[in-house]
């Protein structure tokens, strides 16, 4: 008769279910030393968060090491410049009883523009200043520190609510101009669709279009991001065109699904593009230009060059050229354009 094979008990951490009483059907009682969230995850498997291996992987690279010091220096310079800046008549591109639209300068914070508008209107500056009314000025849109162009400020709470809703509902058509340095594209018009979200380090990154809706480490989800691009000029070749939009039947559509990689030797072409964002995500155009292999000139945060042809870039070359929307009060169509910065004309010099 063969000897019985001894049963070796399994380690507790490997097979915990073998060590529960067979007759017990209740889950383990909550551990008083754990947090509420931890107890909830233990007792209800459906609420468990995905593990780190289940989070979507960004397609765009992390911030370059060089960007930290440069961005800090630029922020300090902008803080000093903003403190000295005040609005002039030449900075206002449109104004009526309800709105004032400013051509924001690069290197000036939006909050300073708003503050200067409040100060000037309180002094009766402009045709619509009224010192008797309490200030109800609001920023309807925002631009990054180094981005210039159209900045809309509303003059009442009600108008602000209407216009902010129009931006939220994507009823405002936006046009940007960007000067990029990278690899000259093989296309004239293109629509790029991708995901957008913060990585585990809190940095905005490009994600795959197929990852839209998936959860990120910070608890948010990957959002849809879509931009249409039009090449205007490459290495001095081409003619600056009037805004024409981006007809869907003429453009190539790309869905971001693979990682992007930019090599230093490929940073050889100067490309002027127009961008038509169809969504309104943070750093959208900057991220998409990086993904396309042509980061914006001076945008060191997203792999843009810091020096070009012996000159240091003091900021990135991105300009909010125009906004088109329905007036929140009169309901008339508005197309507001900001004068182009000097780097646009310089890109056309031989």
């Amino acid at each position: 008769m063969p000897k019985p094979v001894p049963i070796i008990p399994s380690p507790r951490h490997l097979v915990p279910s073998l060590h529960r009483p067979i007759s017990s059907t209740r889950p383990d009682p909550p551990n008083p030393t754990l947090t509420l969230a931890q107890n909830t995850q233990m007792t209800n498997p459906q609420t468990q968060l995905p593990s780190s291996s289940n989070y979507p992987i960004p397609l765009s690279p992390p911030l370059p090491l060089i960007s930290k010091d440069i961005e800090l220096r630029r922020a300090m310079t902008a803080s000093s410049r903003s403190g000295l800046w005040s609005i002039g008549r030449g900075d206002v591109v449109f104004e009526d009883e309800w709105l004032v639209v400013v051509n924001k300068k690069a290197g000036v914070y939006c909050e300073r523009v708003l503050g200067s508008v409040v100060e000037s209107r309180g002094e009766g500056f402009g045709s619509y200043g009224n010192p008797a009314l309490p200030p109800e000025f609001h920023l309807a849109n925002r631009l990054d520190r180094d981005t210039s162009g159209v900045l809309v400020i509303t003059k009442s709470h009600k108008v602000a609510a209407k216009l902010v809703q129009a931006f939220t509902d994507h009823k405002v058509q936006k046009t940007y101009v960007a000067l990029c340095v990278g690899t000259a594209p093989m296309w004239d018009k293109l629509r790029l669709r991708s995901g957008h979200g913060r990585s585990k380090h809190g940095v905005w990154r490009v994600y795959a279009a197929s990852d839209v809706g998936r959860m990120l480490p910070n608890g948010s989800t990957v959002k849809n991001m879509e931009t249409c691009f039009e090449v205007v000029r490459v290495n001095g070749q081409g003619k600056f065109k009037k805004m024409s939009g981006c007809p869907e039947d003429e453009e190539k559509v790309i869905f971001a699904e693979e990682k992007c990689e930019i090599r230093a030797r490929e940073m050889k072409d100067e490309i002027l593009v127009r961008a038509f964002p169809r969504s309104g995500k943070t750093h959208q155009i900057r991220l998409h230009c990086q993904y396309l292999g042509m980061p914006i000139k001076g945008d060191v945060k997203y792999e843009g060059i810091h020096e070009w042809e012996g000159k240091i870039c003091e900021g990135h070359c991105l300009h909010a050229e125009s906004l088109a929307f329905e007036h929140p009060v009169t309901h008339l169509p508005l197309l507001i354009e900001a004068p182009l910065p000097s780097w646009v004309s310089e890109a056309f010099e031989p």
Side-chain angles (χ1 to χ4, degrees), residues 149-318:
V150 180
L151 185 68
V152 182
I153 298 172
T154 60
K155 297 182 179 181
S156 74
H157 301 318
K158 290 183 178 180
V159 174
K162 291 181 179 180
L163 197 50
V164 169
Q165 190 62 47
F167 275 98
T168 303
D169 295 339
H170 308 300
K171 294 181 178 179
V172 180
Q173 298 178 358
K174 298 170 280 189
T175 304
Y176 287 76
V177 178
L179 183 60
C180 308
V181 175
T183 303
M186 303 300 292
W187 43 266
D188 293 325
K189 294 183 179 181
L190 174 141
R191 184 190 301 271
L192 176 59
R193 294 175 180 171
S194 74
H196 173 273
R198 286 187 186 272
S199 67
K200 63 181 179 180
H201 301 294
V203 179
W204 294 111
R205 307 279 285 278
V206 173
Y207 288 83
S210 57
D211 285 334
V212 171
R214 292 183 62 187
M215 183 177 290
L216 293 168
N218 59 12
S220 64
T221 58
V222 178
K223 302 296 193 301
N224 179 64
M225 180 164 65
E226 182 176 334
T227 312
C228 180
F229 288 94
E230 178 183 25
V231 176
V232 178
R233 189 176 176 88
V234 178
N235 295 329
Q237 302 297 317
K239 186 177 181 180
F240 195 80
K241 310 169 187 176
K242 289 286 186 179
M243 289 180 296
S244 59
C246 208
E248 295 187 8
D249 58 345
E250 296 183 15
E251 63 191 29
K252 178 180 180 181
V253 180
I254 290 181
F255 293 86
E257 295 294 343
E258 299 179 355
K259 284 193 173 185
C260 64
E261 183 178 353
I262 300 175
R263 299 178 178 87
R265 65 176 180 273
E266 296 175 347
M267 309 286 282
K268 56 185 177 61
D269 298 314
E270 195 171 46
I271 310 130
L272 187 68
V273 298
R274 266 201 180 94
F276 307 86
R278 299 299 179 93
S279 51
K281 300 299 182 288
T282 304
H283 298 176
Q284 173 168 333
I285 298 172
R286 298 166 63 185
L287 283 164
H288 270 176
C289 283
Q290 177 194 28
Y291 184 81
L292 291 171
M294 50 177 199
I296 296 175
K297 181 180 178 181
D299 192 2
V300 294
K301 194 167 189 175
Y302 298 114
E303 297 189 288
I305 60 168
H306 179 230
E307 183 178 349
W308 180 249
E309 297 182 346
K311 295 182 180 179
I312 300 296
C313 303
E314 299 300 332
H316 61 244
C317 295
L318 180 62

